[in-house]
Amino acid sequence: GINDNYFQTFDDRPNLITKRDTRIQLLADLELPELGTLFDIGSGSGTIGLEALRIRPKLNLICIDKRFGSQALVEENSKRLGVSPLQIIERDVNNYLSDLVNESFSNSNRIIIGGCSLETKLLVIKKFNNFLKQNDIIVLPIITYEVLQQIDLTLKELNYEITMRLIQTFK
């Protein structure tokens, strides 16, 4: 787990990153393969995807975030970590997802759906559902119970095996 202070963040939202303790658990839950593709949806400054790439340098990492300036942040944090994502996309995932999925899926896929709305999370799950294979993994850090309920319902309707974990940290 890389120290949170190592990452550059948005000037107007300093420390708006997935914190180290949570990142460690999310990376464990992704069960990162040696080869494959990791989609980091709502990547922000790239902390999860870039740390995954540092652990598994042969992964194809695709970071997507719609916030202006996210591409520059991910590029800077990539340099700091000495890793190279396959793609860094600064666009709304809703407008890009169909083409991306068709072109980028591999034999082993991991998807982290982080900083985005419930509607976007549901759209991403439904779009990826057509391409996922049995051993592919989706990890969704969720903050509110209402979002958890809707995501859980959607995943059950799509016949996913679901594991939930409550993570609480205090420093």
Side-chain angles (χ1 to χ4, degrees):
I2 298 168
N3 189 307
D4 294 340
N5 297 331
Y6 196 76
F7 294 100
Q8 182 177 348
T9 60
F10 292 101
D11 291 337
D12 65 334
R13 301 285 302 268
N15 300 318
L16 181 65
I17 61 170
T18 303
K19 302 300 187 267
R20 180 182 179 272
D21 297 334
T22 303
R23 245 186 358 262
I24 290 168
Q25 185 60 57
L26 294 172
L27 290 166
D29 289 341
L30 282 166
E31 299 177 20
L32 297 168
E34 289 289 329
L35 300 171
T37 302
L38 170 61
F39 296 88
D40 188 353
I41 312 292
S43 61
S45 55
T47 58
I48 298 169
L50 296 175
E51 192 160 350
L53 198 53
R54 190 165 175 191
I55 295 166
R56 297 283 194 232
K58 294 180 183 175
L59 279 178
N60 293 318
L61 173 61
I62 299 172
C63 295
I64 305 173
D65 198 289
K66 69 179 181 179
R67 182 163 181 192
F68 180 75
S70 60
Q71 182 173 1
L73 276 179
V74 174
E75 287 172 354
E76 173 59 30
N77 288 326
S78 298
K79 290 176 191 170
R80 291 177 181 207
L81 295 177
V83 297
S84 298
L86 179 66
Q87 286 183 287
I88 305 168
I89 301 162
E90 189 176 290
R91 263 174 82 181
D92 187 336
V93 69
N94 297 322
N95 302 327
Y96 191 67
L97 198 53
S98 295
D99 295 337
L100 175 73
V101 171
N102 289 331
E103 296 171 6
S104 303
F105 246 57
S106 69
N107 290 326
S108 185
N109 299 285
R110 301 296 184 264
I111 304 160
I112 181 101
I113 308 172
C116 52
S117 69
L118 169 62
E119 293 75 23
T120 299
K121 288 179 191 304
L122 293 172
L123 173 81
V124 170
I125 290 168
K126 289 174 182 174
K127 290 273 189 176
F128 274 101
N129 184 56
N130 298 322
F131 298 92
L132 291 170
K133 296 176 295 311
Q134 185 171 358
N135 293 322
D136 291 344
I137 295 174
I138 301 174
V139 173
L140 294 107
I142 297 173
I143 297 173
T144 67
Y145 184 69
E146 294 77 19
V147 172
L148 174 64
Q149 285 180 305
Q150 187 59 52
I151 296 291
D152 183 54
L153 179 64
T154 300
L155 291 174
K156 285 178 179 172
E157 288 172 357
L158 296 170
N159 294 315
Y160 279 84
E161 179 182 322
I162 302 168
T163 302
M164 291 190 203
R165 184 180 327 274
L166 173 65
I167 302 172
Q168 245 178 324
T169 62
F170 179 78
K171 289 186 180 183

